[in-house]
Amino acid sequence: MARRPIIAGNWKMNNNKAAARELVDGILKGILPLDAAKMPEVVIAPTYTALWQAYDLIKNEPKVALAAQNVNPNPSGAYTGEVSLEMLADFNVKFVIIGHSERRQMFNESDEFINQKALAILNAGLTPIICCGETLEQREQGVTDAHLASQITKAFNNISEADAVKSVIAYEPIWAIGTGKSCDAVEANRTIGEIRKVIAKLYNQDVADKIRILYGGSVKPSTIVEQMAQPEIDGGLIGGASLKADSFVELIKGAM
Ligand code: 13P
């Protein structure tokens, strides 16, 4: 069974209301003529403050789905500054990005906390986009595959086979994020193949064959076609190039 590609835009901490509106309007205009049957699953992850507006603009457009950039795994209560899954579901959010290196590094998020989030997201019927990736130092030390295996094994702790198969993984080498220096497509393909082997070991070959694994890190319209041509790469998690409608639409076309 072919895996349906995903093109996901992670806006990170960008876009006020006006910019969010302009971007979503531009994306909707750009994808209007595209054949839905051939399109990748298109996902945008605005900030919480732009979520209402994005929700409102896309609510009648099945070609685009919403993601959140974070969530708190607890149902409700005294968690100042946090947002729950029930609140996200209220905005028809379908995906939640977790384990992003920026949250691991700047906000000290542990593998255990990321696993808690994954379990809560799946339990609520949403889909986690579970990020993993190595530092430049780890790559140079030759420990990339072992590091990714550890991150993935911990992220999937206690996740059932039925939930694992619905989850999405994003391989984002940290040295490629925001640097303009994308990982070589053949090497990204190899690494993602290794991640798939970890999933096969944790579950079975069927889950490994079905789970979608994206590449992220300086994906651009000029790199997407080669990346999508790799058999293991099921799409992209895109930062910078998702902030302009033209380039994001080019990325969607590059995945068709
Ligand atoms: P860039 O595409 O800006 O490198 O960001 C990648 C990323 O971190 C997406 O989550």
Side-chain angles (χ1 to χ4, degrees), residues 28-256:
L28 292 175
K29 217 157 113 194
I31 63 175
L32 190 70
L34 304 183
D35 179 355
K38 297 199 182 112
M39 277 177 66
E41 204 165 347
V42 175
V43 178
I44 54 171
T47 57
Y48 288 140
T49 50
L51 214 45
W52 160 258
Q53 193 166 31
Y55 158 77
D56 198 46
L57 290 169
I58 69 166
K59 63 178 187 276
N60 297 316
E61 177 49 86
K63 285 175 173 170
V64 188
L66 276 185
Q69 297 178 20
N70 190 21
V71 74
N72 186 287
N74 293 291
S76 64
Y79 300 97
T80 302
E82 296 294 274
V83 168
S84 74
L85 278 153
E86 190 269 331
M87 293 165 187
L88 296 179
D90 204 23
F91 282 67
N92 209 15
V93 168
K94 300 287 184 210
F95 298 84
V96 186
I97 299 169
I98 56 172
H100 196 285
S101 58
E102 288 153 15
R103 294 214 62 86
R104 291 180 192 261
Q105 292 185 329
M106 292 185 244
F107 303 98
N108 296 320
E109 291 199 7
S110 66
D111 287 310
E112 291 69 29
F113 191 42
I114 291 157
N115 173 242
Q116 272 179 40
K117 292 188 190 193
L119 287 163
I121 291 164
L122 288 158
N123 196 35
L126 279 73
T127 301
I129 300 177
I130 302 169
C131 303
C132 60
E134 81 286 1
T135 61
L136 185 59
E137 200 184 1
Q138 287 169 322
R139 178 155 281 270
E140 286 171 351
Q141 287 170 352
V143 297
T144 296
D145 296 355
H147 174 68
L148 298 175
S150 161
Q151 285 188 322
I152 291 298
T153 302
K154 290 172 183 164
F156 280 85
N157 190 33
N158 289 327
I159 293 182
S160 70
E161 183 180 325
D163 276 344
V165 82
K166 290 187 237 160
S167 303
V168 175
I169 297 172
Y171 167 56
E172 298 206 310
I174 297 170
W175 48 271
I177 296 177
T179 58
K181 195 175 163 288
S182 200
C183 178
D184 172 72
V186 173
E187 173 56 15
N189 185 69
R190 185 202 70 77
T191 311
I192 289 176
E194 291 300 314
I195 295 170
R196 228 178 266 291
K197 285 184 201 160
V198 175
I199 294 293
K201 222 163 104 185
L202 292 175
Y203 298 94
N204 54 55
Q205 194 56 45
D206 186 52
V207 176
D209 287 341
K210 285 183 179 150
I211 194 167
R212 291 180 292 178
I213 310 182
L214 316 181
Y215 167 77
S218 297
V219 175
K220 299 178 279 292
S222 60
T223 64
I224 190 73
V225 174
E226 192 191 0
Q227 285 157 341
M228 291 308 299
Q230 307 297 322
E232 303 287 359
I233 302 180
D234 301 321
L237 180 58
I238 300 122
S242 75
L243 295 174
K244 290 272 172 289
D246 287 356
S247 59
F248 192 59
V249 171
E250 280 312 305
L251 293 168
I252 295 165
K253 290 181 183 165
M256 292 177 72

